[in-house]
Amino acid sequence: MSRQQQLVPISIADLEHNAHITLALNALDYYRSGANDMQTLKDNQDAFSRIRLRPRILRDVSKVDTQTTLLGHTVGSPICIAPTAMQRLANDAGEKATARAAAKAKKCMILSSWSTTSAEDTIEAGKEVPEDLSSPGLPLYWFQLYVYKDREVTEQLIRRVEKAGYKALVITVDTPFLGRRLADVRNVFKLPAHMNMANFEHKDSKVTMATILDENPAEAQAESLLERTAQNGPEAAATGRTTKVVRQESSLAAYVVSQIDPTLNWKDIAWVRSVTKLPVVVKGVLTAEDAALAAEIGVEGILVSNHGGRQLDGVLATIDALPEVLDAVKGKNVEVYVDGGVRKGTDVLKALALGAKAVFLGRPILWGLAHDGEDGVTLALNLIQQEFELAMALAGCCKISDITRNHVQHGTDARSRL
Ligand SMILES: Cc1cc2nc3c(=O)[nH]c(=O)nc-3n(C[C@H](O)[C@H](O)[C@H](O)COP(=O)(O)O)c2cc1C
Ligand SMILES: CC(C)CC(=O)C(=O)O
């Protein structure tokens, strides 16, 4: 059996392939896993393939413009960056690298509450990138909020991100408990000792990270596939670690139990709205019923998400849930976005054709980071951006408002118009 080769990446799939070879198993498994049987994780991507495109022809597509607005801010494209925790596991520059790549591409980035770089340092890194005046639009930073049991901790975090310049709060509502990701349990997931949840690093912070910090770094960091292959031959590399299943629950799940408030309900969303002037987006809506409640409470945005298949396994693929959410808020002043399984330019086109205002990418950004830090994230963003521009042109669309529901249908039956 030959050792797996890294590819010169020309697609998100290539970046993922490379990350599978280079990342340490502890990080790779944390990033790639879904919950339980990972049905929903798979379906997020499969569902895009079930949707077919209906291109229009002869429309002068010599110039394609992807500019759009998100909650009143102009950005270069509807392709955005979803919040993913602990980015320094992929590359030491972590969230700073992502913020700089977002700035260069004039894209929207959502920073995770559980970043390994503080909210202030992350946005500063983005602001250091010289402004590109050649086209309109600016980078945009939003902050993803986990509501802590301790509301004082939550409110302090809100004050900090308001001051730092984040333009919206994205409240994650699908994680009262952490989904069961088997690989993290097997690997006894730990955050290496030189990293931390940087938004809570102050010594007087009431947030304890004891469950996830690695007290024995030499042991817990399983090697990358490359290292495992070199040491043990391809068979050992394929099987990975086989020893030490010592816990039934991952350290991350234990952390969530200790800190995150499982009593979270609609009143808390109203509470967050009452303590900030920032617009609020709820992340994790999958049904028309909840979309209607969110609109009633007055949130500014809904992110249709199943957390990348990492929470409740067996839920609908997000692109399948999107139409009912859109229908439920029709005529209301709410922007609707989607994440989950977006890997190609045609996926972006399909999501926008169904009515999403923007799409967010989770894992592709991590694969880019793992490949080459800031340049790797830039590459990931550019690859999908170029694919999207080509898909728009081939479908006869010059600008975002040209993309309509008539550009998609379900499956191959011409009567299955969406
Ligand atoms: C490694 C990883 C960490 C994540 N961390 C967070 C997080 O801290 N907060 C959050 O709201 N969502 C988090 N998510 C979910 C993403 O925001 C997003 O919903 C999902 O990754 C989109 O699916 P995709 O990875 O297929 O693009 C995480 C996802 C991954 C893969
Ligand atoms: C540590 C986790 C709660 C962050 C997260 O949302 C995830 O891993 O999916």
Side-chain angles (χ1 to χ4, degrees):
M1 200 193 297
S2 68
R3 189 184 293 183
Q4 271 188 279
Q5 297 286 327
Q6 289 194 61
L7 302 168
V8 175
I10 54 169
S11 67
I12 298 293
D14 291 351
L15 286 170
E16 175 169 7
H17 169 95
N18 290 353
H20 282 214
I21 299 171
T22 57
L23 276 177
L25 193 65
N26 183 60
L28 172 64
D29 276 347
Y30 169 61
Y31 287 166
R32 71 175 158 179
S33 288
N36 303 90
D37 293 342
M38 304 198 268
Q39 268 176 12
T40 296
L41 173 70
K42 181 171 181 301
D43 203 35
N44 274 348
Q45 274 178 255
D46 290 350
F48 276 106
S49 314
R50 295 193 289 263
I51 296 170
R52 298 297 162 96
L53 289 163
R54 301 184 69 252
R56 300 299 306 277
I57 52 169
L58 297 171
R59 304 212 139 209
D60 182 359
V61 289
S62 51
K63 287 202 186 76
V64 168
D65 179 0
T66 65
Q67 256 180 78
T68 190
T69 60
L70 294 176
L71 299 176
H73 295 266
T74 301
V75 284
S77 159
I79 299 170
C80 313
I81 300 173
T84 52
M86 299 182 264
Q87 297 189 356
R88 288 186 60 209
L89 286 172
N91 178 285
D92 202 44
E95 292 83 1
K96 286 188 186 175
T98 307
R100 287 192 202 108
K104 278 191 189 142
K106 298 189 173 186
K107 288 192 162 61
C108 173
M109 166 186 180
I110 309 179
L111 181 72
S112 166
S113 276
W114 291 11
S115 51
T116 36
T117 311
S118 71
E120 292 85 354
D121 290 352
T122 301
I123 203 166
E124 265 326 298
K127 285 181 187 162
E128 279 162 15
V129 173
E131 204 176 314
D132 170 10
L133 299 170
S134 67
S135 64
L138 289 168
L140 181 61
Y141 298 94
W142 291 355
F143 187 80
Q144 176 267 325
L145 188 71
Y146 275 125
V147 178
Y148 276 70
K149 288 181 182 172
D150 187 331
R151 292 295 190 274
E152 220 180 289
V153 169
T154 313
E155 207 174 331
Q156 273 171 13
L157 197 53
I158 295 173
R159 296 288 159 259
R160 282 175 52 195
V161 303
E162 284 170 338
K163 191 162 165 232
Y166 291 82
K167 298 294 185 216
L169 290 178
V170 180
I171 310 176
T172 298
V173 294
D174 59 12
T175 312
F177 299 97
L178 200 70
R180 189 159 170 75
R181 303 139 189 198
L182 303 181
D184 293 338
V185 182
R186 286 199 190 96
N187 294 339
V188 194
F189 176 89
K190 291 282 175 190
L191 193 59
H194 65 286
M195 297 177 201
N196 57 21
M197 305 281 222
N199 289 320
F200 310 101
E201 71 185 341
H202 305 115
K203 63 177 181 350
D204 54 351
S205 168
K206 294 184 208 157
V207 177
T208 166
M209 291 174 277
T211 59
I212 49 169
L213 283 179
D214 188 3
E215 296 122 28
N216 190 352
E219 179 203 297
Q221 293 307 298
E223 314 85 2
S224 69
L225 178 62
L226 270 186
E227 289 157 343
R228 279 176 284 139
T229 311
Q231 285 163 18
N232 309 320
E235 245 168 64
T239 51
R241 297 175 84 207
T242 54
T243 53
K244 290 213 178 152
V245 179
V246 292
R247 296 172 64 143
Q248 294 299 309
E249 180 187 53
S250 90
S251 55
L252 288 169
Y255 177 81
V256 171
V257 167
S258 75
Q259 303 296 331
I260 303 303
D261 192 350
T263 73
L264 196 72
N265 61 72
W266 290 106
K267 285 194 200 124
D268 299 304
I269 305 298
W271 170 75
V272 173
R273 293 195 75 237
S274 75
V275 298
T276 185
K277 290 201 168 60
L278 289 178
V280 164
V281 176
V282 283
K283 173 175 184 282
V285 173
L286 285 171
T287 61
E289 298 91 305
D290 284 333
L293 287 169
E296 206 176 293
I297 269 199
V299 301
E300 282 77 8
I302 290 175
L303 176 43
V304 177
S305 173
N306 54 32
H307 213 111
R310 293 159 75 81
Q311 286 298 105
L312 182 60
D313 196 23
V315 300
L316 279 188
T318 45
I319 199 67
D320 287 337
L322 178 65
E324 72 171 70
V325 169
L326 283 160
D327 290 347
V329 301
K330 200 177 269 167
K332 303 267 167 56
N333 199 15
V334 189
E335 293 190 354
V336 177
Y337 324 108
V338 66
D339 76 19
V342 179
R343 300 291 180 268
K344 295 177 291 189
T346 48
D347 298 339
V348 184
L349 182 63
K350 289 170 183 177
L352 265 65
L354 285 171
K357 183 89 172 126
V359 301
F360 286 81
L361 309 179
R363 294 177 184 84
I365 302 304
L366 300 171
W367 308 143
L369 253 185
H371 177 70
D372 195 13
E374 177 188 339
D375 288 347
V377 177
T378 298
L379 178 64
L381 290 172
N382 285 348
L383 285 171
I384 194 157
Q385 174 71 24
Q386 283 160 14
E387 285 183 2
F388 176 49
E389 287 175 19
L390 178 62
M392 276 180 70
L394 296 181
C397 304
C398 299
K399 51 187 190 309
I400 297 299
S401 58
D402 292 342
I403 305 171
T404 69
R405 264 206 187 192
N406 289 332
H407 286 99
V408 278
Q409 69 168 54
H410 239 303
T412 50
D413 184 340
R415 288 162 300 183
S416 319
R417 296 275 296 280
L418 285 158

